[in-house]
Amino acid sequence: MNGRLTDASPHESPYDSTDEGPDDPGLRAEGPGLRAGYPGLRADAFPAEAVRDRARRGTAALFPPVEAYGRTLFGAARTPAHTAPGADLLDALRLVPPVFMPRRLEKLIDLAREPMHHDVDLTTVVGALNSPLPAYLSAFGSTQVASADLGTAASRQAGRLGLPMVIGENVVPVNGYGRLGTAAAGDTERSLLGRIRAYLDELPDGMGGVAVQQSTEDADAEVWNLVYSDPSARPLLESGRLAFELKVGQGAKPGLGGMTVLNRAAAARVAEQYAVDDVLGGEERVLRCSSPGTFTEEILRQQIRLMRNNFPRARVWVKLHPGRDVRDAAAVAWSAGADAVTVDGAEGGTGWAPLGFLDAVGLPLGECLRRIGRPNGSLLASGRMWEGTRAAKALALGATAVGLGRAALLAVEEDPERGLTRLVEALALELRLLISALGKYEASALAYEDVWSAGTGLPHQDPSLATPLGTQP
Amino acid sequence: MLHITDPATGPAATDRLPEAPARHLTDPTTRAVVRLQNGVLTAARDFLRGHGFTEMLLPMIGPVTDPGVRGSKQVDIDYYGHRYKLMTSAILYKQASLLAFDKIFSIAPCVRLEPLETANTSRHLAEFHQIDVEVAGASREEILRLGEDLVRHIVREVTEHHAEEFESLGRDTGAFAELLGQSFGHRTHAEAVAELRDMGHDQSADAEIDWQGEAMLSAKSGRPFFVTDYPKGSRGFYDRESRDEPGTLRNFDIIAPEGYGELCSGSEREFEYARIVARMRETGENPAKYGWYLQMVREGIPDSAGFGIGLERFTRYLAGLDSVWQASAYPKVPGVIAP
């Protein structure tokens, strides 16, 4: 491992930093100094320290210091560390418990005692994969090529938790002619196999699953075909726990493809496959740009159908960037048979992207969810997810589950053995507290009625929207 | 807890696998099958040459190959530092060859790393051959008739000249009476889907007829039949989309009777540049890697129709074999390590 994820120091690897995934640990994500003078979404840094705190202390980090108990007054004046009012609909919203709780009465009758937060059932079907809570592990970009250990540690912990996991190995196409896990294969392929293996080693029966991502340019390497025909993936395939995610775009740079900083020697090796721009100054580094791929309604529909045709035993996920027509795109994906649609909000990526894109391009996650409205299938939401309130608000706006990206990586870096586990335990407890406070006992029961903010039009007055959005009508 | 399968252990559920080469090659069944296969090739060549076709020897490697193959993986090779592919099918070169001749055929080798689940379908090989045919200016109806005539000619010739082999294989040639005496059956994909659903099989209307469904339809038929008009999204970019019925392809399969399943796939081809690029995207392809092909298409290639008959599958059907690997002297069952 080459230092903390927030270091901007160069790595030894030829792949100094890539961006794939919303979820890459931004090499510069935390530097408010870097962002000074750039208004907008990105002005509030990702709360890395709070994430690390949860990775260290788990559920204890949900509460004020116990030493202060009985000696300090806590009130609403406290400025939440992780919100920046006005920047994002999700931040602007508050969760609003009612006084009268008919669903709590139902639960009381069911249990024959007063229900508690422990009674909240968080189990969720995430894109046809079972998860113990409404969350999954988002794709890590190849930024972690420099620290494959992190990806493996994250996989092991996710497996232990039974958390569905996306693998976004855009690096497969760059190296090698071989198959998974063979001597002829490149390091990155070994890391793809290594991650699947680490995950499977810990995975409880009947839970979790792996979604392998492929983008337009990855298609050259036939990542899906490779996985689908590889013996390593058989345990997943045979237990219905293998999914393929079609990557249409990502939050960090909607409308653009992947970008990677390469040294010149590495760039020469991939020049046949990728556009390489000499725009970074200096002698050593050049910019590799992937094409984003062209999509129309018909192209998206047919690509999904072809995935179902060619890989009938794999689940189909589709990942969208936060485009202004995200509602239409999600509708096309579901109607073509996608098991899940992932929406990656513009605040999502700290992926390596042009600064202008980070600051001013794409819809925030909350607006994406608002535009999509009642989802017609499993809707997965990623973008700055790490704690319960933001997750609960996303669920209330229709998401089935939320993706942990940067947060998971930071947690694993903080403690490769237990960091992610503690972060997820904290998330689960916080969700249980919140959902029970809203008088509900299933994650999927959250609805528009559970959120409010002045001027956002939420909650809707339409009584039909008081029913859960996250389940299919 | 799940465990990774060791790649060396291969598939778990194959009924019967080829024996070691020395045993397989000296098995009387193998000898009879290979002689029968010779009869198939001789008959195919005679028929096609008699109809004005030129036999082409098509490349085995190239920068790009047929992507339209359900679930299988292409084989990459290092061609002087460039990533090349072994041909999964000859389709791109079949279209190209029409720049030289209006009617071409080839006995083309194909390599596809099929998904491991195909190891026990009895009808998949990782390495096989196709009798590949392509005709400039032909319509689907014309090419379909040619395919039917070719199959019938081959069956007539081999039953006439290889009685000894049929005898030693225990295959009653009376099984071909309907094939020889009647025209092939015909149903559209939509009709096949409806039929399967009536039989209680959950067949997707948007996808290929799955292997089980195909076997069910095949088993209840006494002669080969065509399935036409597959939906877009089930086939490669080169199968022409109907101009009258968007979303439907101008293609066909020939399905053998008695449960032997698909023998042949064919179609009218897309040949117009902009359509091919759009169809490539719809099939998830990156057009950039098809440089030589798209350049050629841009300069103009003939419209055409063609098909490929799986030689080992056809042989299996004729010989009445349990598994398609028995129709190969050096069989490669998907996932099974073999010389």
Side-chain angles (χ1 to χ4, degrees), chain A residues 173 179 200-201 203 216 219-220 222 225-226 228 232 234-235 241 272-273 294-295 298-299 302-303 306 309-310 313, chain B residues 1-4 7 11-12 70-74 82-83 113 116-117 206-208 232-234 281-284 286 289:
Chain A
R179 297 180 66 76
L200 283 177
D201 278 347
L203 190 63
T216 294
D220 292 1
E222 301 186 280
N225 305 61
L226 181 71
Y228 199 75
S232 317
R234 282 188 91 183
R241 287 184 279 180
E272 199 172 309
Q273 278 173 282
T294 303
F295 287 90
E298 183 67 357
I299 288 172
Q302 295 302 335
Q303 286 201 10
L306 197 77
N309 186 73
N310 286 2
R313 300 170 75 198
Chain B
M1 188 184 295
L2 293 167
H3 297 282
I4 295 271
R70 163 162 57 166
S72 71
K73 169 85 179 76
Q74 301 175 4
H82 297 267
R83 183 173 10 204
L113 300 179
L116 296 170
E117 68 205 64
D206 301 326
E208 289 256 25
K232 197 160 69 157
S234 67
R281 282 303 298 154
E282 290 170 10
T283 53
N286 183 358
K289 69 179 182 180

Short mmCIF file of all heavy atoms in Angstrom, two decimals, chain A residues 173 179 200-201 203 216 219-220 222 225-226 228 232 234-235 241 272-273 294-295 298-299 302-303 306 309-310 313, chain B residues 1-4 7 11-12 70-74 82-83 113 116-117 206-208 232-234 281-284 286 289:
data_model
loop_
_atom_site.label_atom_id
_atom_site.label_comp_id
_atom_site.label_asym_id
_atom_site.label_seq_id
_atom_site.Cartn_x
_atom_site.Cartn_y
_atom_site.Cartn_z
N PRO A 173 -8.75 -4.88 -19.76
CA PRO A 173 -8.39 -4.77 -21.17
C PRO A 173 -6.98 -4.27 -21.41
O PRO A 173 -6.44 -4.46 -22.48
CB PRO A 173 -9.41 -3.79 -21.73
CG PRO A 173 -10.12 -3.21 -20.60
CD PRO A 173 -9.92 -4.09 -19.43
N ARG A 179 -6.39 -15.80 -19.40
CA ARG A 179 -7.66 -15.90 -18.72
C ARG A 179 -7.45 -15.58 -17.25
O ARG A 179 -6.34 -15.31 -16.82
CB ARG A 179 -8.21 -17.32 -18.87
CG ARG A 179 -8.48 -17.66 -20.33
CD ARG A 179 -9.01 -19.05 -20.45
NE ARG A 179 -10.32 -19.18 -19.84
CZ ARG A 179 -11.44 -18.75 -20.38
NH1 ARG A 179 -11.42 -18.14 -21.52
NH2 ARG A 179 -12.59 -18.93 -19.76
N LEU A 200 -15.53 -14.95 -2.07
CA LEU A 200 -16.21 -16.25 -1.95
C LEU A 200 -15.76 -17.02 -0.71
O LEU A 200 -16.54 -17.76 -0.11
CB LEU A 200 -15.93 -17.09 -3.19
CG LEU A 200 -16.72 -16.72 -4.43
CD1 LEU A 200 -16.31 -17.59 -5.60
CD2 LEU A 200 -18.21 -16.87 -4.18
N ASP A 201 -14.50 -16.84 -0.35
CA ASP A 201 -13.97 -17.57 0.80
C ASP A 201 -14.78 -17.29 2.07
O ASP A 201 -14.85 -18.12 2.97
CB ASP A 201 -12.50 -17.19 1.05
CG ASP A 201 -11.57 -17.96 0.14
OD1 ASP A 201 -12.04 -18.93 -0.48
OD2 ASP A 201 -10.40 -17.57 0.04
N LEU A 203 -18.04 -15.87 2.07
CA LEU A 203 -19.45 -15.57 1.80
C LEU A 203 -20.40 -16.59 2.43
O LEU A 203 -20.26 -17.78 2.22
CB LEU A 203 -19.67 -15.54 0.28
CG LEU A 203 -21.01 -15.02 -0.21
CD1 LEU A 203 -21.19 -13.56 0.17
CD2 LEU A 203 -21.12 -15.18 -1.72
N THR A 216 -17.84 0.36 -22.49
CA THR A 216 -17.72 0.19 -23.93
C THR A 216 -16.33 -0.30 -24.32
O THR A 216 -16.18 -1.24 -25.09
CB THR A 216 -18.01 1.53 -24.63
OG1 THR A 216 -19.38 1.84 -24.40
CG2 THR A 216 -17.76 1.43 -26.12
N ALA A 219 -15.24 -3.81 -23.59
CA ALA A 219 -15.84 -4.85 -24.42
C ALA A 219 -14.78 -5.52 -25.27
O ALA A 219 -14.89 -6.69 -25.61
CB ALA A 219 -16.94 -4.26 -25.30
N ASP A 220 -13.72 -4.78 -25.59
CA ASP A 220 -12.64 -5.37 -26.39
C ASP A 220 -12.02 -6.57 -25.68
O ASP A 220 -11.53 -7.49 -26.31
CB ASP A 220 -11.55 -4.35 -26.66
CG ASP A 220 -12.04 -3.25 -27.58
OD1 ASP A 220 -13.22 -3.32 -27.97
OD2 ASP A 220 -11.26 -2.35 -27.90
N GLU A 222 -13.66 -8.42 -23.59
CA GLU A 222 -14.70 -9.40 -23.30
C GLU A 222 -14.68 -9.82 -21.83
O GLU A 222 -14.64 -11.00 -21.51
CB GLU A 222 -14.52 -10.66 -24.14
CG GLU A 222 -14.55 -10.44 -25.62
CD GLU A 222 -14.51 -11.80 -26.31
OE1 GLU A 222 -13.41 -12.36 -26.41
OE2 GLU A 222 -15.58 -12.30 -26.70
N ASN A 225 -17.54 -12.21 -21.00
CA ASN A 225 -17.35 -13.55 -21.59
C ASN A 225 -16.28 -14.31 -20.82
O ASN A 225 -16.39 -15.51 -20.58
CB ASN A 225 -16.92 -13.44 -23.05
CG ASN A 225 -17.88 -12.62 -23.88
OD1 ASN A 225 -18.09 -11.45 -23.59
ND2 ASN A 225 -18.48 -13.23 -24.87
N LEU A 226 -15.24 -13.56 -20.45
CA LEU A 226 -14.14 -14.16 -19.71
C LEU A 226 -14.64 -14.74 -18.39
O LEU A 226 -14.38 -15.89 -18.04
CB LEU A 226 -13.09 -13.08 -19.44
CG LEU A 226 -11.82 -13.45 -18.71
CD1 LEU A 226 -10.94 -14.31 -19.59
CD2 LEU A 226 -11.05 -12.19 -18.32
N TYR A 228 -17.77 -15.34 -17.51
CA TYR A 228 -18.88 -16.30 -17.66
C TYR A 228 -18.38 -17.69 -18.01
O TYR A 228 -19.00 -18.69 -17.69
CB TYR A 228 -19.83 -15.80 -18.76
CG TYR A 228 -21.21 -16.42 -18.72
CD1 TYR A 228 -22.13 -16.02 -17.76
CD2 TYR A 228 -21.61 -17.38 -19.65
CE1 TYR A 228 -23.40 -16.56 -17.72
CE2 TYR A 228 -22.88 -17.93 -19.62
CZ TYR A 228 -23.77 -17.51 -18.66
OH TYR A 228 -25.04 -18.04 -18.62
N SER A 232 -13.57 -20.19 -12.22
CA SER A 232 -13.57 -19.48 -10.94
C SER A 232 -14.93 -18.91 -10.60
O SER A 232 -15.26 -18.72 -9.43
CB SER A 232 -12.57 -18.32 -10.99
OG SER A 232 -11.39 -18.71 -11.60
N ARG A 234 -17.82 -20.18 -11.40
CA ARG A 234 -18.91 -21.16 -11.38
C ARG A 234 -19.71 -21.18 -10.08
O ARG A 234 -20.94 -21.28 -10.12
CB ARG A 234 -18.38 -22.56 -11.65
CG ARG A 234 -18.11 -22.80 -13.10
CD ARG A 234 -17.78 -24.25 -13.34
NE ARG A 234 -18.97 -25.03 -13.64
CZ ARG A 234 -18.95 -26.34 -13.84
NH1 ARG A 234 -17.83 -26.99 -13.74
NH2 ARG A 234 -20.05 -26.99 -14.13
N PRO A 235 -19.03 -21.10 -8.93
CA PRO A 235 -19.83 -21.12 -7.68
C PRO A 235 -20.85 -19.98 -7.64
O PRO A 235 -21.95 -20.15 -7.12
CB PRO A 235 -18.78 -20.95 -6.58
CG PRO A 235 -17.49 -21.36 -7.20
CD PRO A 235 -17.60 -21.02 -8.66
N ARG A 241 -25.65 -15.99 -8.16
CA ARG A 241 -25.09 -14.81 -7.52
C ARG A 241 -24.05 -14.10 -8.37
O ARG A 241 -23.19 -13.42 -7.87
CB ARG A 241 -24.52 -15.18 -6.15
CG ARG A 241 -25.63 -15.46 -5.15
CD ARG A 241 -25.09 -15.73 -3.76
NE ARG A 241 -24.62 -17.09 -3.63
CZ ARG A 241 -24.09 -17.59 -2.50
NH1 ARG A 241 -23.96 -16.81 -1.44
NH2 ARG A 241 -23.71 -18.84 -2.43
N GLU A 272 -2.57 1.57 -29.12
CA GLU A 272 -3.42 0.98 -30.15
C GLU A 272 -4.88 0.97 -29.71
O GLU A 272 -5.78 1.00 -30.53
CB GLU A 272 -2.93 -0.45 -30.41
CG GLU A 272 -3.40 -1.03 -31.72
CD GLU A 272 -2.72 -2.37 -32.00
OE1 GLU A 272 -1.48 -2.43 -31.92
OE2 GLU A 272 -3.44 -3.33 -32.28
N GLN A 273 -5.10 0.91 -28.41
CA GLN A 273 -6.46 0.78 -27.90
C GLN A 273 -7.09 2.09 -27.45
O GLN A 273 -8.29 2.23 -27.47
CB GLN A 273 -6.48 -0.17 -26.70
CG GLN A 273 -6.51 -1.63 -27.04
CD GLN A 273 -6.35 -2.45 -25.77
OE1 GLN A 273 -5.26 -2.59 -25.25
NE2 GLN A 273 -7.44 -2.96 -25.26
N THR A 294 -21.42 5.30 -27.23
CA THR A 294 -22.63 5.99 -27.70
C THR A 294 -23.86 5.19 -27.30
O THR A 294 -23.92 3.98 -27.53
CB THR A 294 -22.60 6.09 -29.24
OG1 THR A 294 -21.41 6.76 -29.63
CG2 THR A 294 -23.82 6.83 -29.77
N PHE A 295 -24.81 5.88 -26.71
CA PHE A 295 -26.06 5.22 -26.36
C PHE A 295 -27.25 6.00 -26.89
O PHE A 295 -27.27 7.23 -26.84
CB PHE A 295 -26.19 5.08 -24.83
CG PHE A 295 -25.28 4.03 -24.28
CD1 PHE A 295 -24.00 4.34 -23.87
CD2 PHE A 295 -25.70 2.70 -24.22
CE1 PHE A 295 -23.14 3.36 -23.40
CE2 PHE A 295 -24.84 1.71 -23.75
CZ PHE A 295 -23.56 2.05 -23.33
N GLU A 298 -32.49 2.83 -28.30
CA GLU A 298 -32.44 1.52 -28.95
C GLU A 298 -31.14 0.79 -28.62
O GLU A 298 -31.14 -0.43 -28.41
CB GLU A 298 -32.60 1.70 -30.47
CG GLU A 298 -32.65 0.41 -31.26
CD GLU A 298 -33.88 -0.46 -30.99
OE1 GLU A 298 -34.71 -0.10 -30.14
OE2 GLU A 298 -34.00 -1.52 -31.65
N ILE A 299 -30.04 1.52 -28.58
CA ILE A 299 -28.75 0.87 -28.27
C ILE A 299 -28.78 0.31 -26.86
O ILE A 299 -28.38 -0.83 -26.61
CB ILE A 299 -27.59 1.86 -28.48
CG1 ILE A 299 -27.38 2.12 -29.97
CG2 ILE A 299 -26.30 1.32 -27.86
CD1 ILE A 299 -26.37 3.22 -30.30
N GLN A 302 -31.15 -2.76 -26.70
CA GLN A 302 -30.62 -3.97 -27.35
C GLN A 302 -29.40 -4.52 -26.63
O GLN A 302 -29.19 -5.73 -26.59
CB GLN A 302 -30.30 -3.69 -28.82
CG GLN A 302 -31.52 -3.36 -29.67
CD GLN A 302 -32.58 -4.45 -29.65
OE1 GLN A 302 -32.28 -5.62 -29.41
NE2 GLN A 302 -33.83 -4.08 -29.86
N GLN A 303 -28.58 -3.64 -26.06
CA GLN A 303 -27.42 -4.16 -25.32
C GLN A 303 -27.89 -4.98 -24.11
O GLN A 303 -27.31 -6.01 -23.79
CB GLN A 303 -26.51 -3.02 -24.87
CG GLN A 303 -25.71 -2.44 -26.03
CD GLN A 303 -24.47 -1.69 -25.58
OE1 GLN A 303 -24.07 -1.73 -24.43
NE2 GLN A 303 -23.85 -0.98 -26.52
N LEU A 306 -29.20 -8.27 -25.32
CA LEU A 306 -28.11 -9.15 -25.72
C LEU A 306 -27.41 -9.75 -24.49
O LEU A 306 -27.03 -10.92 -24.49
CB LEU A 306 -27.09 -8.40 -26.58
CG LEU A 306 -26.16 -9.33 -27.36
CD1 LEU A 306 -26.87 -9.92 -28.56
CD2 LEU A 306 -24.90 -8.61 -27.81
N ASN A 309 -29.56 -12.46 -23.39
CA ASN A 309 -29.50 -13.57 -24.35
C ASN A 309 -28.19 -14.36 -24.20
O ASN A 309 -28.18 -15.58 -24.20
CB ASN A 309 -29.61 -13.01 -25.76
CG ASN A 309 -29.68 -14.09 -26.82
OD1 ASN A 309 -30.71 -14.75 -26.96
ND2 ASN A 309 -28.61 -14.29 -27.56
N ASN A 310 -27.10 -13.62 -24.09
CA ASN A 310 -25.78 -14.27 -24.10
C ASN A 310 -25.38 -14.84 -22.75
O ASN A 310 -24.60 -15.77 -22.68
CB ASN A 310 -24.70 -13.27 -24.55
CG ASN A 310 -24.78 -12.99 -26.03
OD1 ASN A 310 -25.65 -13.50 -26.72
ND2 ASN A 310 -23.88 -12.18 -26.52
N ARG A 313 -27.71 -16.90 -17.36
CA ARG A 313 -27.69 -17.24 -15.94
C ARG A 313 -27.12 -16.11 -15.07
O ARG A 313 -27.00 -16.27 -13.87
CB ARG A 313 -26.87 -18.52 -15.72
CG ARG A 313 -27.46 -19.70 -16.48
CD ARG A 313 -26.54 -20.88 -16.45
NE ARG A 313 -26.53 -21.55 -15.17
CZ ARG A 313 -25.56 -22.38 -14.78
NH1 ARG A 313 -24.52 -22.58 -15.55
NH2 ARG A 313 -25.63 -22.98 -13.62
N MET B 1 -20.08 -21.32 2.91
CA MET B 1 -18.85 -20.89 2.22
C MET B 1 -18.75 -21.61 0.87
O MET B 1 -19.00 -22.80 0.77
CB MET B 1 -17.65 -21.21 3.10
CG MET B 1 -16.36 -20.63 2.55
SD MET B 1 -14.93 -21.12 3.55
CE MET B 1 -15.30 -20.32 5.10
N LEU B 2 -18.37 -20.85 -0.13
CA LEU B 2 -18.22 -21.43 -1.45
C LEU B 2 -16.74 -21.61 -1.76
O LEU B 2 -15.89 -20.92 -1.22
CB LEU B 2 -18.82 -20.51 -2.50
CG LEU B 2 -20.33 -20.35 -2.43
CD1 LEU B 2 -20.75 -19.18 -3.29
CD2 LEU B 2 -21.01 -21.61 -2.89
N HIS B 3 -16.46 -22.53 -2.64
CA HIS B 3 -15.08 -22.75 -3.01
C HIS B 3 -14.89 -22.56 -4.49
O HIS B 3 -15.73 -22.92 -5.29
CB HIS B 3 -14.63 -24.15 -2.60
CG HIS B 3 -14.67 -24.34 -1.12
ND1 HIS B 3 -13.70 -23.84 -0.29
CD2 HIS B 3 -15.60 -24.92 -0.32
CE1 HIS B 3 -14.01 -24.13 0.96
NE2 HIS B 3 -15.16 -24.77 0.97
N ILE B 4 -13.79 -21.99 -4.83
CA ILE B 4 -13.43 -21.80 -6.23
C ILE B 4 -13.13 -23.18 -6.84
O ILE B 4 -12.47 -24.01 -6.23
CB ILE B 4 -12.15 -20.95 -6.33
CG1 ILE B 4 -12.41 -19.55 -5.80
CG2 ILE B 4 -11.62 -20.94 -7.74
CD1 ILE B 4 -12.90 -18.59 -6.81
N PRO B 7 -9.52 -24.68 -12.06
CA PRO B 7 -9.73 -24.74 -13.51
C PRO B 7 -9.33 -26.09 -14.10
O PRO B 7 -9.91 -26.54 -15.08
CB PRO B 7 -8.82 -23.64 -14.04
CG PRO B 7 -8.61 -22.71 -12.91
CD PRO B 7 -8.70 -23.55 -11.65
N PRO B 11 -15.43 -29.37 -15.98
CA PRO B 11 -16.84 -29.38 -15.62
C PRO B 11 -17.22 -30.62 -14.82
O PRO B 11 -16.55 -31.65 -14.92
CB PRO B 11 -17.54 -29.39 -16.97
CG PRO B 11 -16.57 -30.02 -17.88
CD PRO B 11 -15.21 -29.66 -17.39
N ALA B 12 -18.26 -30.47 -14.08
CA ALA B 12 -18.62 -31.54 -13.16
C ALA B 12 -19.63 -32.51 -13.74
O ALA B 12 -19.62 -33.69 -13.41
CB ALA B 12 -19.16 -30.93 -11.89
N ARG B 70 -23.22 -16.49 -28.53
CA ARG B 70 -23.85 -16.47 -27.22
C ARG B 70 -22.91 -16.92 -26.09
O ARG B 70 -22.56 -18.08 -26.00
CB ARG B 70 -25.10 -17.35 -27.34
CG ARG B 70 -25.74 -17.85 -26.13
CD ARG B 70 -27.17 -18.31 -26.41
NE ARG B 70 -27.32 -19.33 -27.44
CZ ARG B 70 -28.45 -20.02 -27.60
NH1 ARG B 70 -29.49 -19.79 -26.83
NH2 ARG B 70 -28.54 -20.93 -28.55
N GLY B 71 -22.50 -15.95 -25.28
CA GLY B 71 -21.81 -16.29 -24.04
C GLY B 71 -20.39 -16.81 -24.15
O GLY B 71 -19.74 -17.00 -23.14
N SER B 72 -19.89 -17.05 -25.34
CA SER B 72 -18.57 -17.67 -25.42
C SER B 72 -17.48 -16.61 -25.45
O SER B 72 -17.71 -15.44 -25.71
CB SER B 72 -18.46 -18.59 -26.63
OG SER B 72 -18.42 -17.83 -27.81
N LYS B 73 -16.25 -17.07 -25.18
CA LYS B 73 -15.10 -16.17 -25.11
C LYS B 73 -14.23 -16.41 -26.33
O LYS B 73 -14.03 -17.53 -26.75
CB LYS B 73 -14.32 -16.51 -23.84
CG LYS B 73 -12.95 -15.88 -23.71
CD LYS B 73 -13.02 -14.48 -23.14
CE LYS B 73 -11.64 -13.86 -23.00
NZ LYS B 73 -11.08 -13.41 -24.28
N GLN B 74 -13.73 -15.30 -26.88
CA GLN B 74 -12.80 -15.42 -28.00
C GLN B 74 -11.41 -15.76 -27.49
O GLN B 74 -11.06 -15.47 -26.35
CB GLN B 74 -12.77 -14.09 -28.77
CG GLN B 74 -14.13 -13.69 -29.30
CD GLN B 74 -14.14 -12.32 -29.96
OE1 GLN B 74 -13.11 -11.68 -30.09
NE2 GLN B 74 -15.31 -11.89 -30.38
N HIS B 82 0.51 -7.54 -31.51
CA HIS B 82 -0.87 -7.07 -31.66
C HIS B 82 -1.82 -8.16 -31.18
O HIS B 82 -1.57 -9.34 -31.43
CB HIS B 82 -1.19 -6.73 -33.12
CG HIS B 82 -0.35 -5.62 -33.65
ND1 HIS B 82 -0.73 -4.30 -33.62
CD2 HIS B 82 0.89 -5.64 -34.20
CE1 HIS B 82 0.23 -3.55 -34.14
NE2 HIS B 82 1.23 -4.33 -34.49
N ARG B 83 -2.90 -7.74 -30.53
CA ARG B 83 -3.85 -8.73 -30.08
C ARG B 83 -4.73 -9.18 -31.24
O ARG B 83 -5.51 -8.40 -31.77
CB ARG B 83 -4.72 -8.16 -28.96
CG ARG B 83 -5.63 -9.23 -28.47
CD ARG B 83 -6.49 -8.97 -27.26
NE ARG B 83 -6.56 -7.63 -26.77
CZ ARG B 83 -6.88 -7.36 -25.51
NH1 ARG B 83 -7.11 -8.32 -24.66
NH2 ARG B 83 -6.97 -6.11 -25.11
N LEU B 113 -14.46 -20.41 -26.89
CA LEU B 113 -14.40 -20.91 -25.52
C LEU B 113 -15.80 -20.77 -24.93
O LEU B 113 -16.17 -19.75 -24.37
CB LEU B 113 -13.36 -20.13 -24.71
CG LEU B 113 -11.93 -20.21 -25.28
CD1 LEU B 113 -10.97 -19.40 -24.43
CD2 LEU B 113 -11.45 -21.66 -25.36
N LEU B 116 -18.89 -23.04 -19.55
CA LEU B 116 -18.74 -24.42 -19.06
C LEU B 116 -20.07 -25.16 -19.01
O LEU B 116 -20.11 -26.38 -19.11
CB LEU B 116 -18.10 -24.39 -17.68
CG LEU B 116 -16.67 -23.82 -17.69
CD1 LEU B 116 -16.19 -23.59 -16.27
CD2 LEU B 116 -15.73 -24.75 -18.43
N GLU B 117 -21.15 -24.39 -18.86
CA GLU B 117 -22.45 -25.07 -18.79
C GLU B 117 -22.78 -25.80 -20.09
O GLU B 117 -23.66 -26.64 -20.12
CB GLU B 117 -23.54 -24.05 -18.46
CG GLU B 117 -23.78 -23.05 -19.58
CD GLU B 117 -24.38 -21.73 -19.08
OE1 GLU B 117 -23.70 -21.03 -18.33
OE2 GLU B 117 -25.52 -21.43 -19.45
N ASP B 206 -37.65 -12.33 -26.20
CA ASP B 206 -36.61 -11.42 -26.68
C ASP B 206 -35.29 -12.12 -26.96
O ASP B 206 -34.34 -11.48 -27.35
CB ASP B 206 -36.33 -10.32 -25.64
CG ASP B 206 -37.56 -9.51 -25.32
OD1 ASP B 206 -38.36 -9.30 -26.24
OD2 ASP B 206 -37.70 -9.10 -24.16
N ALA B 207 -35.20 -13.41 -26.69
CA ALA B 207 -33.91 -14.08 -26.74
C ALA B 207 -33.95 -15.28 -27.69
O ALA B 207 -35.02 -15.69 -28.16
CB ALA B 207 -33.50 -14.53 -25.34
N GLU B 208 -32.77 -15.81 -27.95
CA GLU B 208 -32.64 -17.08 -28.65
C GLU B 208 -33.55 -18.12 -28.01
O GLU B 208 -33.78 -18.08 -26.81
CB GLU B 208 -31.20 -17.60 -28.48
CG GLU B 208 -30.17 -16.83 -29.23
CD GLU B 208 -29.71 -17.58 -30.46
OE1 GLU B 208 -30.47 -18.42 -30.98
OE2 GLU B 208 -28.59 -17.31 -30.91
N LYS B 232 -34.14 -8.90 -32.68
CA LYS B 232 -32.86 -8.20 -32.51
C LYS B 232 -32.47 -8.33 -31.04
O LYS B 232 -33.31 -8.33 -30.16
CB LYS B 232 -33.05 -6.73 -32.90
CG LYS B 232 -31.77 -6.00 -33.17
CD LYS B 232 -32.03 -4.75 -34.00
CE LYS B 232 -32.77 -3.67 -33.22
NZ LYS B 232 -32.54 -2.33 -33.78
N GLY B 233 -31.21 -8.40 -30.75
CA GLY B 233 -30.80 -8.60 -29.36
C GLY B 233 -30.48 -10.06 -29.09
O GLY B 233 -29.99 -10.41 -28.04
N SER B 234 -30.81 -10.93 -30.07
CA SER B 234 -30.45 -12.33 -29.89
C SER B 234 -29.31 -12.74 -30.81
O SER B 234 -28.79 -13.83 -30.68
CB SER B 234 -31.67 -13.22 -30.15
OG SER B 234 -32.04 -13.17 -31.51
N ARG B 281 -23.09 -1.01 -32.11
CA ARG B 281 -23.32 -0.42 -30.78
C ARG B 281 -24.44 -1.16 -30.05
O ARG B 281 -24.37 -1.38 -28.85
CB ARG B 281 -23.66 1.07 -30.90
CG ARG B 281 -22.47 1.95 -31.14
CD ARG B 281 -21.41 1.78 -30.04
NE ARG B 281 -21.90 2.17 -28.73
CZ ARG B 281 -21.45 1.69 -27.57
NH1 ARG B 281 -20.49 0.80 -27.55
NH2 ARG B 281 -21.95 2.10 -26.44
N GLU B 282 -25.47 -1.52 -30.79
CA GLU B 282 -26.58 -2.23 -30.14
C GLU B 282 -26.16 -3.58 -29.61
O GLU B 282 -26.79 -4.13 -28.72
CB GLU B 282 -27.75 -2.38 -31.13
CG GLU B 282 -28.45 -1.07 -31.43
CD GLU B 282 -29.44 -1.19 -32.57
OE1 GLU B 282 -29.75 -2.32 -33.01
OE2 GLU B 282 -29.90 -0.13 -33.04
N THR B 283 -25.10 -4.13 -30.18
CA THR B 283 -24.61 -5.41 -29.68
C THR B 283 -23.41 -5.21 -28.75
O THR B 283 -22.66 -6.14 -28.49
CB THR B 283 -24.24 -6.35 -30.83
OG1 THR B 283 -23.34 -5.69 -31.72
CG2 THR B 283 -25.47 -6.76 -31.62
N GLY B 284 -23.22 -3.97 -28.28
CA GLY B 284 -22.21 -3.71 -27.27
C GLY B 284 -20.79 -3.70 -27.81
O GLY B 284 -19.84 -3.74 -27.05
N ASN B 286 -17.41 -2.21 -29.79
CA ASN B 286 -16.69 -0.97 -30.01
C ASN B 286 -16.24 -0.94 -31.47
O ASN B 286 -15.35 -1.69 -31.86
CB ASN B 286 -15.48 -0.93 -29.08
CG ASN B 286 -14.71 0.37 -29.21
OD1 ASN B 286 -15.05 1.22 -30.01
ND2 ASN B 286 -13.68 0.50 -28.40
N LYS B 289 -12.51 -1.31 -33.17
CA LYS B 289 -11.66 -2.47 -33.39
C LYS B 289 -11.95 -3.17 -34.72
O LYS B 289 -11.22 -4.07 -35.10
CB LYS B 289 -11.77 -3.44 -32.22
CG LYS B 289 -13.10 -4.14 -32.07
CD LYS B 289 -13.07 -5.10 -30.87
CE LYS B 289 -14.37 -5.85 -30.75
NZ LYS B 289 -14.40 -6.78 -29.62
#
